[in-house]
Amino acid sequence: MTITITDAVGTTLEAAAALNPVPGYVNGDDYSDWYIPATPPLLRALAQLARSQGASDLADSLDRFSHPLCMEPVDTVLAPGVMPEQWCGAPVEKEGEPCERHTPEHAAELGRCNWAGSADGRICRSARRPGGDRCEVHAAYCRAVKVDGTVCDRSNCRHPKHRRASVPASC
């Protein structure tokens, strides 16, 4: 299928016509905080236009950005309250999901806390405490596996059997 510049421009203009301003990330009640998102159809149309002009690297980047991406920070040190400077950007199946590398199973490789209790499947962004595999906050969560196969995961668990369980850094 050969794409002409006319087709690419037409597709781009159609996608651009569907754009609308949306509230900004922090404060959406002031018009200066609103922005116009680059929607997936617009990004694909721009990629098509770039490809028709021979800019295949730009087209590949625009295509990649038109799909959901992992937006986990990859900074070495993540201090509380500090905005990360680098983001993952790996393609994911569903928007808001982390990529395979940013799940609790791979947290140790990244030097992060390996607590797996997050409802959204994300890793804790805190660094591990010295000599442990969890951060200060999550070190207190019980690791004992109950009879039904679920992890207790209560903070400062006092259940006698859980306290005797032979799991690392048990509660």
Side-chain angles (χ1 to χ4, degrees), residues 49-74:
L49 183 59
R51 206 167 265 111
S52 72
Q53 292 297 301
S56 58
D57 289 343
L58 174 59
D60 292 344
S61 291
L62 291 167
D63 273 334
R64 187 170 66 89
F65 293 144
S66 72
H67 300 289
L69 302 174
C70 173
M71 294 306 293
E72 286 296 319
V74 294

Side-chain angles (χ1 to χ4, degrees), residues 69-72 74 88-94 96-106 110 121-123:
L69 302 174
C70 173
M71 294 306 293
E72 286 296 319
V74 294
C88 176
V92 293
E93 291 293 320
K94 185 178 166 191
E97 287 182 350
C99 67
E100 183 62 33
R101 186 168 181 248
H102 291 105
T103 56
E105 295 82 29
H106 299 283
L110 302 169
R122 296 190 178 286
I123 61 173

Side-chain angles (χ1 to χ4, degrees), residues 38-159:
T39 61
L42 177 61
L43 291 170
R44 285 190 290 272
L46 289 169
Q48 183 183 33
L49 183 59
R51 206 167 265 111
S52 72
Q53 292 297 301
S56 58
D57 289 343
L58 174 59
D60 292 344
S61 291
L62 291 167
D63 273 334
R64 187 170 66 89
F65 293 144
S66 72
H67 300 289
L69 302 174
C70 173
M71 294 306 293
E72 286 296 319
V74 294
D75 297 4
T76 306
V77 177
L78 291 173
V82 175
M83 182 63 120
E85 294 180 12
Q86 299 175 347
W87 305 92
C88 176
V92 293
E93 291 293 320
K94 185 178 166 191
E95 189 170 334
E97 287 182 350
C99 67
E100 183 62 33
R101 186 168 181 248
H102 291 105
T103 56
E105 295 82 29
H106 299 283
E109 300 163 14
L110 302 169
R112 302 275 188 263
C113 168
N114 73 352
W115 178 68
S118 173
D120 58 5
R122 296 190 178 286
I123 61 173
C124 173
R125 293 181 177 176
S126 300
R128 297 179 298 202
R129 66 183 187 177
D133 61 351
R134 291 189 176 179
C135 67
E136 285 293 327
V137 173
H138 294 124
Y141 283 66
C142 182
R143 300 174 191 231
V145 178
K146 297 189 279 186
V147 176
D148 64 1
T150 61
V151 176
C152 175
D153 208 31
R154 286 186 297 186
S155 181
N156 298 314
C157 177
R158 301 278 184 232
H159 193 284

